[in-house]
Amino acid sequence: MSRVGRAPISIPAGVSVEVNNAVLTVKGPKGTLTQPIDMRITVQIENGVATLTRANDSKELRAKHGLYRALLNNMITGVTTGFTKTLVINGVGYKVQKQGNKIVLNVGYSHPVEFAEVEGIKLDCPAQTEIAVSGIDKVKVGQIAANIRSIRKPEPYHGYGIRYKDEVIERKEGKTAGK
């Protein structure tokens, strides 16, 4: 069996997990998430613990077994605590500010770049050089953070650009004077 797929998932109080017509629904204090799953993967919920089993040992189904277990675990975590990704802006004159339901980035272009909030995702600016992307769906949070980062990717010589807070930028040595 899949090492990830066979691990049981404990369901905290206040969270309900249901499976109807191959659609997994998780409801919790922060909201509701749904995920279609393969009909050959079954979800059993007993005594506050969810376990996933597969119909056979085909290579495709073994991969999906671990995938759906990880997705279910992320859904449960999302509706209870949520997910947050923090981005840091580095550069001379680079800054960000929140205006209504969008953020405005000044990151070295001739014009400010606007990025609007997406449904289910909240954008905050705790400082002029930080952006906090938060929500209950881990995939959406990660994708929105990646989209913001792609506006100005960090460059290796000075480190200017938008990077994740825990990301390490490999720095390169610049040109040296003539030999």
Side-chain angles (χ1 to χ4, degrees):
M1 286 187 80
S2 167
R3 291 182 189 188
V4 173
R6 69 177 160 200
I9 304 168
S10 62
I11 302 170
V15 176
S16 67
V17 178
E18 298 171 1
V19 181
N20 290 330
N21 299 329
V23 175
L24 192 60
T25 306
V26 179
K27 294 178 185 171
K30 291 200 175 225
T32 303
L33 293 171
T34 60
Q35 173 69 42
I37 62 171
D38 195 316
M39 299 275 293
R40 298 172 292 176
I41 302 286
T42 58
V43 180
Q44 291 119 6
I45 299 147
E46 298 170 349
N47 301 328
V49 175
T51 53
L52 281 79
T53 55
R54 60 181 184 249
N56 59 46
D57 281 340
S58 68
K59 188 173 183 179
E60 175 195 11
L61 211 52
R62 286 190 312 227
K64 286 183 178 182
H65 187 203
L67 168 74
Y68 290 129
R69 189 264 177 209
L71 289 174
L72 176 59
N73 191 41
N74 289 339
M75 290 167 69
I76 290 171
T77 304
V79 297
T80 55
T81 60
F83 294 100
T84 301
K85 280 209 177 249
T86 306
L87 299 154
V88 175
I89 298 173
N90 185 20
V92 177
Y94 288 14
K95 64 181 180 175
V96 65
Q97 57 188 357
K98 177 124 179 173
Q99 291 181 353
N101 66 343
K102 63 184 175 185
I103 57 171
V104 179
L105 300 136
N106 292 312
V107 287
Y109 293 119
S110 62
H111 58 283
V113 179
E114 295 181 354
F115 196 92
E117 284 184 350
V118 179
E119 184 181 343
I121 301 297
K122 190 171 186 323
L123 300 174
D124 282 325
C125 300
Q128 275 193 335
T129 58
E130 280 192 11
I131 304 167
V133 182
S134 58
I136 62 172
D137 189 350
K138 188 174 186 177
V139 176
K140 271 189 180 177
V141 168
Q143 186 61 55
I144 296 299
N147 291 348
I148 293 171
R149 182 182 181 272
S150 72
I151 292 169
R152 177 69 92 174
K153 290 184 182 173
E155 54 94 18
Y157 295 101
H158 297 103
Y160 294 167
I162 303 171
R163 65 176 173 85
Y164 298 111
K165 191 168 191 168
D166 57 351
E167 182 180 13
V168 176
I169 304 299
E170 290 288 327
R171 302 293 289 272
K172 291 183 180 178
E173 186 177 331
K175 293 181 180 178
T176 58
K179 292 185 179 183

